Amino acid sequence: PVKPKPLPDVVEEELEYIESSGAQYIDTGVQLNSETDEVEIDFKITGVNATSGIFGSRDGAYACNYSLHCTAEGSFNMVCDNQGSGSSQHRFSLNGNSNTRYIVRNSRSSRSLVEAGTSKVVGSDTQTAESFSSTRNAYLFWGNVETAWQKAKMRLYGCKITRGGVPLRDFVPCRALGGGVETVCLYDKVTKGFFTNMGEGAFSGPV
C-alpha cells in the first residue's frame, strides 16, 4: 500500500503564492452564507482551456450559488445568487486576462474585480442577493458544484473569508514541514491549521 504523506505541522516558509496545474484543489471547510459572509481572493489565472472553478460552491445552477469561475473563452463569472432570483441579477461577467493578477471581493450586496496593485476596477455589481446558506463546502482552485467544472490553473496569493465581520479563514501560501516532508499548501491564521491539496499531484511555489 502507498504510505500516506505526513501532514504538515510547522510553517517552514511563507510564500508569495501557491500554483496549481489544473489537478489540485483545497476544501476550505466553510459552507457559505450569503447574508453574512464576504470573500476576498487574490489570484492569477495561468491558463484556460475549459470552464474552470476558481472558488466557491453551488447546490444547483441557480441555487445557493456563491462562486467564481472562468469560462473557456477567458471571461470571469462572479455570482452570489439563489434559485428564483434570476441568474443575471446578482452576477457579472467580464473579459479578463490570463497572467493578470486580480483581487475579487464577493458578498451579498456587491461583487467586484480589481487589478491587484492598482485602483482599476475591472467590473462590479451592487445588487443585493437573497439570503441563503450553502450545503456544500466552498473549494479553492475549483468549485464544489453539481456540474463538471474543471479545476483552475492559477496562482493563489491569499484568500480571506469573514462572517459578519469576524474572520473565518485567512489563508497564507506556505511551504510547510511534517515528518521531515515538505508540503506546499495554505496556512490558515484563524484556525492555525494547514489546508493541503485534496486533488492529484502537488501544488508548486516560487522557485
Side-chain angles (χ1 to χ4, degrees):
V2 177
K3 184 178 180 180
K5 188 175 182 179
L7 293 174
D9 52 27
V10 62
V11 175
E12 182 182 28
E13 176 188 11
E14 287 192 11
L15 302 174
E16 181 186 10
Y17 61 83
I18 63 172
E19 183 169 355
S20 62
S21 65
Q24 300 79 40
Y25 75 98
I26 281 174
D27 184 342
T28 68
V30 175
Q31 294 181 353
L32 294 167
N33 182 308
S34 70
E35 188 169 351
T36 57
D37 295 359
E38 296 187 10
V39 179
E40 178 179 297
I41 308 168
D42 188 345
F43 73 101
K44 178 194 290 186
I45 294 293
T46 57
V48 179
N49 55 17
T51 298
S52 304
I54 296 169
F55 171 82
S57 63
R58 72 182 191 190
D59 295 353
Y62 307 127
C64 302
N65 189 348
Y66 201 134
S67 64
L68 171 66
H69 69 272
C70 187
T71 70
E73 293 74 33
S75 65
F76 294 111
N77 287 329
M78 192 180 312
V79 188
C80 186
D81 188 48
N82 196 20
Q83 188 167 4
S85 69
S87 64
S88 63
Q89 291 183 6
H90 309 111
R91 72 168 66 198
F92 73 84
S93 300
L94 53 93
N95 292 324
N97 297 311
S98 291
N99 292 312
T100 298
R101 183 173 169 181
Y102 296 105
I103 296 175
V104 64
R105 296 180 178 91
N106 199 351
S107 69
R108 184 185 183 192
S109 60
S110 66
R111 289 144 290 285
S112 66
L113 189 72
V114 178
E115 284 192 14
T118 76
S119 57
K120 181 180 178 181
V121 178
V122 182
S124 64
D125 167 59
T126 56
Q127 296 191 70
T128 300
E130 295 99 331
S131 175
F132 66 84
S133 297
S134 177
T135 61
R136 300 172 181 238
N137 288 355
Y139 289 168
L140 277 163
F141 298 91
W142 199 16
N144 190 357
V145 300
E146 85 298 341
T147 190
W149 286 357
Q150 299 295 309
K151 301 176 185 70
K153 297 178 181 179
M154 60 179 266
R155 290 179 178 179
L156 182 74
Y157 298 84
C159 174
K160 297 179 180 180
I161 306 173
T162 60
R163 177 163 290 167
V166 177
L168 289 182
R169 300 286 185 270
D170 187 355
F171 288 121
V172 177
C174 73
R175 183 174 287 109
L177 279 176
V181 177
E182 283 189 346
T183 303
V184 174
C185 60
L186 294 177
Y187 176 73
D188 176 33
K189 292 182 177 180
V190 180
T191 63
K192 302 187 185 307
F194 294 92
F195 287 71
T196 58
N197 173 35
M198 302 294 288
E200 300 177 353
F203 288 111
S204 61
V207 178

